[in-house]
Amino acid sequence: MEEQYGGLDKRLRRRRLLIFLVLLAVVVVITVAVVLGVTLRPRTNEVKATFLERCQKFKDYNCEKIWDAFRQAYVGRDSCNVPVGAYDALFLEAPFVPSCNRVMLWSKTKDVVHAFTAKRDCYVTLEDTMLGSVLDGLTWCGKEGSNETFTTDCPGWTECENNPVRSFWNQASAGFANAACGDVTVLLNGSIPKPVDPMSIFASIEVNRLHYNRVKKLKVVLVMQENPVANCKSDSLVALEAKLDPGMEYNCKEVPEAQIEECGSDPEKPCGSCW
């Protein structure tokens, strides 16, 4: 009799354990589904709200119309099949205004450049323009068969060439450089072996659009931190000068980062004297 009850007790414990494991598995599946649903859900309203809020800080732009032109470039498309030309309508709605002697380009010096332009209204970077400011730091993509905007599960910059973010910045950089005239300034990083990386947007896109009929001088500011590894005679900078149109003036200066920071904080100092 005791053996019968002992066997029954073991069967009950096994059954309870099995029920517990099944319930646990169900909870795990539901939790994962909820997490994935939150992570991968469309973010159209959030992206649109950010886009419009930033856009409305600039005057004389129809932000709703510009938003529609922006989303048409990538919505419903494979996120690796959004070529540069997909943004043509967007840049027709918000073209770059020609800017003489104020264009500032940069490569691997983003923080230094924007810390400076945030304090001094002497130069304009791409990220200071309306479209550059609106989309700076954002990630977006669409999906085939969907009318939504997504901010997760989008391809990275190097994952595929024709992804929405990369194509936008490539076209924006080309348009911004096309609008430059007079003197153009570029801040490069003296703490890396190649301040002019051939694969960078500056070297591969922007420089190719600086032509002598509009741009008369390229001023290179080589930002020097502690223990710099490059100077104005570095091979990549020599190659940059050789690449410019005949007749275009070229100037390179090695400037300590601390000097740029100090000058940026002194509104009485002419911007040109910062380097």
Side-chain angles (χ1 to χ4, degrees):
M1 230 12 176
E2 289 180 1
E3 290 180 0
Q4 276 186 322
Y5 283 116
L8 180 60
D9 188 48
K10 287 180 181 179
R11 287 196 297 273
L12 286 173
R13 285 201 299 270
R14 284 198 296 268
R15 188 173 298 171
R16 288 171 182 168
L17 178 60
L18 180 61
I19 292 172
F20 171 77
L21 291 174
V22 170
L23 291 174
L24 180 62
V26 170
V27 170
V28 169
V29 169
I30 292 174
T31 302
V32 170
V34 170
V35 170
L36 285 175
V38 170
T39 303
L40 300 178
R41 76 172 187 267
R43 304 280 184 163
T44 302
N45 292 337
E46 295 173 28
V47 175
K48 183 178 181 179
T50 299
F51 188 103
L52 294 179
E53 180 183 359
R54 292 181 178 182
C55 176
Q56 286 159 2
K57 294 178 182 178
F58 294 81
K59 296 180 181 179
D60 303 323
Y61 286 101
N62 186 333
C63 294
E64 284 282 355
K65 194 172 182 180
I66 293 170
W67 161 257
D68 288 338
F70 166 67
R71 66 187 301 273
Q72 285 172 16
Y74 62 87
V75 162
R77 303 180 71 157
D78 184 301
S79 56
C80 279
N81 188 28
V82 182
V84 167
Y87 290 100
D88 284 348
L90 172 64
F91 287 99
L92 286 175
E93 288 294 336
F96 289 108
V97 178
S99 182
C100 291
N101 306 317
R102 283 172 49 83
V103 165
M104 178 173 279
L105 308 176
W106 57 270
S107 183
K108 296 180 172 61
T109 54
K110 183 176 182 178
D111 291 343
V112 176
V113 168
H114 291 149
F116 182 83
T117 59
K119 296 174 183 176
R120 305 295 302 274
D121 188 28
C122 307
Y123 299 97
V124 177
T125 70
L126 172 55
E127 293 77 17
D128 295 320
T129 66
M130 191 279 288
L131 285 176
S133 176
V134 166
L135 293 169
D136 188 26
L138 298 186
T139 297
W140 66 90
C141 66
K143 296 186 185 302
E144 286 185 297
S146 173
N147 197 37
E148 301 288 352
T149 296
F150 297 83
T151 59
T152 58
D153 199 30
C154 296
W157 187 273
T158 59
E159 190 173 333
C160 55
E161 183 176 355
N162 288 328
N163 73 68
V165 176
R166 179 171 179 170
S167 290
F168 167 80
W169 287 111
N170 283 349
Q171 187 164 356
S173 298
F176 185 61
N178 282 337
C181 56
D183 292 355
V184 172
T185 304
V186 58
L187 266 64
L188 302 175
N189 192 335
S191 298
I192 56 178
K194 284 187 176 182
V196 184
D197 181 350
M199 301 303 293
S200 67
I201 284 180
F202 169 67
S204 65
I205 295 177
E206 292 169 336
V207 169
N208 297 328
R209 279 143 178 96
L210 304 180
H211 297 300
Y212 185 64
N213 62 330
R214 294 179 292 102
V215 177
K216 303 307 178 185
K217 183 177 183 178
L218 179 64
K219 298 190 290 186
V220 174
V221 177
L222 192 60
V223 181
M224 312 298 279
Q225 299 174 331
E226 292 184 11
N227 304 315
V229 297
N231 57 49
C232 284
K233 297 185 182 300
S234 294
D235 290 345
S236 67
L237 286 163
V238 172
L240 170 64
E241 183 179 7
K243 189 177 183 180
L244 300 178
D245 281 357
M248 188 182 298
E249 191 177 344
Y250 172 88
N251 177 264
C252 178
K253 288 186 178 180
E254 300 163 13
V255 183
E257 182 178 344
Q259 178 178 324
I260 298 173
E261 292 175 353
E262 181 182 353
C263 191
S265 301
D266 185 356
E268 301 300 322
K269 206 165 194 176
C271 289
S273 66
C274 293
W275 41 76

